[in-house]
Amino acid sequence: MKTAVVTGASKGLGLEWCRQLAAMNYRVILTARDAEKASQAAAKIEAREVHPYPLEVTREDQIAGMAGWIGQQFGQVDLLVNNAGINPKDYPDQSRMAKAFYLKDLDPEEMMEVFRVNSLAPLLMTKHLRPLLNKSDRPVVLSISSWLGSVSSLSFGGHYGYVGSKNLLNVLNRSMAFELREEGIICVTVNPGWVQTDMGGSRARFTTSQSVSNLITQVVDRLTLADSGRFINYDGTDHPW
Ligand code: NDP
């Protein structure tokens, strides 16, 4: 049985990743920063091998603790889905929303927090799960980026934290892919499309089910080491950098 770890799985795309991977007979480590939310999310999936685990992705001590626990319990990791993400526009407090959008109110601390969650955490996760990924015969690290992380596609201003964080994630992943190539670890970033979640809103093009299904059939199922370092669209094509 293959083992997958998914971050930010209390809801939205993360929860759907867990649901579809469990249906594909993966053992799933469903992580969420709140222990109760992790358990509640796991209870929504009808599969025996879904294991909730509390994980705040900016806390390296928690990541290291989780890696130790997975090592003891299951011995290896085959797929890491770095899904947890924040977009400051989602703050319910509208004054914070304005800060996140425009230069005049740019808040450096807030930007750094977005970078910590969206850009740095996927590297920390890979750093600590690396020995367990190395036990797999086809280890994959898939980090959820966004079309907003593409320099050449960008056609509007603002959103500095989110745009910068996903662009940084793309380049950090590419660098990590080169470092881990010799070990056979496949590292890619993906654009899931515009998806109906709390972050994407109800007008989005795809349901979570469609988005994850696209990414599994068009990306995860087809990945080889030659793909490592790519920024891939939900239809399997190269996303423009
Ligand atoms: P949601 O806001 O619905 O879910 C985000 C998830 O990330 C939640 O489970 C949230 O947990 C978790 N999370 C946030 N911060 C942390 C943290 N510090 N530690 C652990 N978990 C955390 O968003 P989506 O499902 O839409 O987004 C999933 C990913 O897809 C993100 O990386 C996002 O940037 C990306 N994406 C989404 C698009 C869309 O259209 N929806 C488009 C492009 C990319 P909690 O419940 O505790 O807040």
Side-chain angles (χ1 to χ4, degrees), residues 89-187:
K89 82 174 168 59
D90 299 324
Y91 288 125
D93 174 351
Q94 295 296 301
S95 64
R96 293 197 74 185
M97 174 172 154
K99 271 189 193 173
F101 267 44
Y102 301 117
L103 206 53
K104 66 182 173 56
D105 292 316
L106 198 69
D107 179 338
E109 282 313 309
E110 187 167 83
M111 264 188 96
M112 293 312 291
E113 181 61 13
V114 180
F115 289 169
R116 273 191 284 273
V117 176
N118 293 2
S119 324
L120 180 57
L123 263 70
L124 289 176
M125 290 290 295
T126 311
K127 172 182 167 184
H128 287 279
L129 291 178
R130 182 178 182 177
L132 299 178
L133 286 160
N134 272 318
K135 302 261 173 62
S136 170
D137 54 9
R138 182 177 167 273
V140 172
V141 176
L142 182 134
S143 301
I144 311 292
S145 183
S146 168
W147 73 92
L148 289 169
S150 162
V151 172
S152 58
S153 307
L154 200 60
S155 57
F156 54 84
H159 292 268
Y160 295 102
Y162 191 76
V163 162
S165 72
K166 292 298 188 182
N167 189 254
L168 180 58
L169 171 63
N170 285 342
V171 73
L172 293 178
N173 178 74
R174 191 160 170 89
S175 184
M176 184 168 75
F178 282 116
E179 182 183 346
L180 299 183
R181 180 171 287 258
E182 271 183 21
E183 295 169 29
I185 302 178
I186 304 166
C187 305

Side-chain angles (χ1 to χ4, degrees), residues 8-14 33 37 55-58 83-86 117 144-147 162 166 191-195 197-200:
S10 64
K11 60 179 181 173
L13 281 165
R33 56 182 155 180
K37 279 193 192 175
L55 179 69
E56 157 61 61
V57 294
T58 59
N83 166 81
I86 50 173
V117 176
I144 311 292
S145 183
S146 168
W147 73 92
Y162 191 76
K166 292 298 188 182
N191 169 33
W194 186 23
V195 189
T197 63
D198 286 350
M199 188 186 291

Side-chain angles (χ1 to χ4, degrees), residues 33-80:
R33 56 182 155 180
D34 180 282
E36 202 170 319
K37 279 193 192 175
S39 298
Q40 285 168 357
K44 290 180 187 162
I45 303 174
E46 282 182 24
R48 240 168 27 93
E49 291 282 354
V50 177
H51 304 270
Y53 194 96
L55 179 69
E56 157 61 61
V57 294
T58 59
R59 290 277 305 273
E60 188 168 9
D61 58 333
Q62 291 188 12
I63 296 174
M66 181 195 65
W69 176 77
I70 297 173
Q72 276 179 349
Q73 295 290 317
F74 310 118
Q76 75 180 59
V77 170
D78 301 280
L79 172 63
L80 164 60

